[in-house]
Amino acid sequence: MAATLNLGDDFDTAITQQISAAINLALSNQNKTQSYKEWMSLGDAAKYLSVSRRTLNGFIAQGLKIVVIGGVKRVHKQDIDSFMIDHLV
């Protein structure tokens, strides 16, 4: 059983504009997330997580994997994402 509801062209236009704005916002937010490099410095990793460097150091102490080469520390984006998912409550 199907029902038809006609709310007028103005309503259709307003809804279309709202949906378009929501899609554009979602795509914009996705592009911001994707702008982070695959391998991040600790500072960039903290920004990616929206936490302080001190909090990031706590995550590292709790098992977040990092790579250290010649004193240069990097964190892989996938390791950050996996670490966060592993700590869901």
Side-chain angles (χ1 to χ4, degrees):
M1 178 175 184
T4 303
L5 182 61
N6 186 358
L7 298 174
D9 291 338
D10 290 340
F11 183 78
D12 286 345
T13 300
I15 290 295
T16 300
Q17 290 173 344
Q18 290 294 319
I19 291 171
S20 178
I23 290 170
N24 288 334
L25 179 61
L27 290 174
S28 173
N29 288 339
Q30 182 179 7
N31 288 338
K32 288 178 187 175
T33 301
Q34 291 177 346
S35 69
Y36 283 94
K37 296 177 181 178
E38 185 176 354
W39 289 97
M40 295 179 241
S41 67
L42 296 185
D44 287 342
K47 288 177 189 174
Y48 174 70
L49 289 167
S50 298
V51 299
S52 68
R53 285 287 300 272
R54 184 176 182 169
T55 298
L56 180 66
N57 289 338
F59 291 168
I60 293 167
Q62 293 178 45
L64 175 61
K65 299 176 191 174
I66 64 169
V67 173
V68 182
I69 302 172
V72 176
K73 298 177 182 179
R74 292 291 181 260
V75 185
H76 196 275
K77 184 177 178 295
Q78 185 176 354
D79 288 333
I80 295 172
D81 295 339
S82 295
F83 178 82
M84 296 305 286
I85 290 170
D86 289 346
H87 288 82
L88 285 173
V89 259

